[in-house]
Amino acid sequence: RLSLESLLSRNESLPRVLAREERLKSLLQHPENSRLRGDANLYLVNVKDEADINAVYLLDKNGLTLASSNYAQPESSFVGNNYGYRPYFREAVKNGFGRFYGVGVTTGEPGYFLAAPIKDHGRAIGAVTAKINLNDFESAFVRSGDLVLLVDAYGVIFLTSVPQWKYHTLAPLHAEAKERLAASRQYDNVLQPALRVKLRLEDEPYSIRTALPGSPAQDYLIQSMNTGSLGWSIILLTQTKQERENALLAGVAAGFAM
């Protein structure tokens, strides 16, 4: 949990610092100026490389992308695309900062988005957004051998060490949740039906018997906890048989020590 929260907060200051960059503000004030656009694109490329993040881009007050670190990639460039419907942009302009996790509508690659407004005389004239890839964190789930799910506020599993469960929901979505997800295109074309496994978020650990994909049914202890600032939860599944074996081994070891 702590390592995830550390990863999420590591780049929180980046868009706030970029929002003070004069080259970005100048382009927002003069969006038709090709020289300013070129300067902004090159600046964002350097920021992306130095910060080692997925992408960074500049949106005008309506959410139209004016410059981006991937401007030179014709098939995946954000330039010219409008992301005004994305929650990170709307939150940045309205409340001073935006956070969001979702699948990229242009690239199809998921990421964690952080956005800060760029202001002129106290009024937001645009926003700068950094996109951070969490694939390495998910890969760490798989390498650890633990059964871990990261679930968003809607109950969508968006990072997991069980690939077959990714983008499934813990329970069927209500109509309002479906509408919000469709409006933000958070899981554009990848959202899956609810799991048949009856997992739920509880304050106290509980046990279930279920079969993982490709495995026979076993008993699992389920533990969950909140993490991050977007209403996410981590769910950990532990084989109770393994727990009993570990406890037995610990007891035997203690006996030998005595």
Side-chain angles (χ1 to χ4, degrees):
R1 174 184 179 181
L2 290 177
S3 60
L4 173 62
E5 293 184 350
S6 174
L7 175 65
L8 297 180
S9 62
R10 187 181 306 160
N11 293 292
E12 287 257 328
S13 61
L14 180 59
R16 291 189 172 101
V17 172
L18 297 181
R20 299 176 178 273
E21 173 56 44
E22 194 60 37
R23 280 170 284 192
L24 301 184
K25 184 176 180 179
S26 295
L27 179 57
L28 289 172
Q29 294 170 328
H30 307 282
E32 301 303 323
N33 190 306
S34 59
R35 180 184 62 81
L36 293 176
R37 190 182 315 119
D39 289 346
N41 280 327
L42 293 177
Y43 171 70
L44 294 176
V45 170
N46 289 332
V47 169
K48 181 254 184 191
D49 292 341
E50 290 292 329
D52 192 24
I53 58 177
N54 188 266
V56 59
Y57 48 106
L58 178 68
L59 309 174
D60 71 8
K61 65 180 181 180
N62 298 313
L64 179 68
T65 309
L66 300 183
S68 174
S69 60
N70 64 2
Y71 78 98
Q73 302 168 16
E75 295 182 359
S76 58
S77 173
F78 297 162
V79 176
N81 292 329
N82 192 300
Y83 301 111
Y85 57 89
R86 287 291 215 179
Y88 62 80
F89 171 75
R90 298 168 71 176
E91 284 294 315
V93 172
K94 182 179 179 181
N95 298 321
F97 200 78
R99 301 175 183 86
F100 179 73
Y101 183 88
V103 175
V105 295
T106 303
T107 64
E109 299 175 358
Y112 184 59
F113 299 81
L114 298 167
I118 296 178
K119 296 184 177 182
D120 184 22
H121 295 95
R123 180 176 58 89
I125 59 173
V128 59
T129 302
K131 180 181 179 182
I132 298 142
N133 195 317
L134 299 186
N135 286 349
D136 289 344
F137 191 80
E138 186 173 42
S139 297
F141 280 177
V142 177
R143 291 195 302 270
S144 71
D146 295 328
L147 299 176
V148 185
L149 316 176
L150 196 56
V151 182
D152 74 4
Y154 297 108
V156 179
I157 302 167
F158 63 93
L159 290 179
T160 176
S161 59
V162 186
Q164 298 90 334
W165 288 0
K166 192 167 186 177
Y167 299 129
H168 285 268
T169 58
L170 297 183
L173 293 172
H174 297 297
E176 183 181 354
K178 290 180 179 179
E179 290 176 4
R180 290 185 178 182
L181 289 173
S184 67
R185 299 179 66 182
Q186 186 167 354
Y187 302 107
D188 205 30
N189 300 320
V190 299
L191 193 62
Q192 302 296 317
L195 288 178
R196 294 183 178 180
V197 179
K198 300 301 181 183
L199 294 174
R200 60 189 187 276
L201 302 175
E202 298 283 354
D203 292 334
E204 299 296 328
Y206 62 93
S207 298
I208 64 169
R209 183 170 181 80
T210 189
L212 296 182
S215 302
Q218 299 185 60
D219 294 318
Y220 291 92
L221 180 69
I222 312 300
Q223 302 174 79
S224 60
M225 65 188 76
N226 298 328
T227 188
S229 58
L230 293 175
W232 298 353
S233 298
I234 294 176
I235 300 178
L236 177 65
L237 292 78
T238 307
Q239 290 184 26
T240 53
K241 177 183 177 183
Q242 186 64 48
E243 279 199 329
R244 289 194 295 269
E245 290 176 351
N246 290 344
L248 178 61
L249 289 172
V252 172
F256 276 113
M258 290 294 288

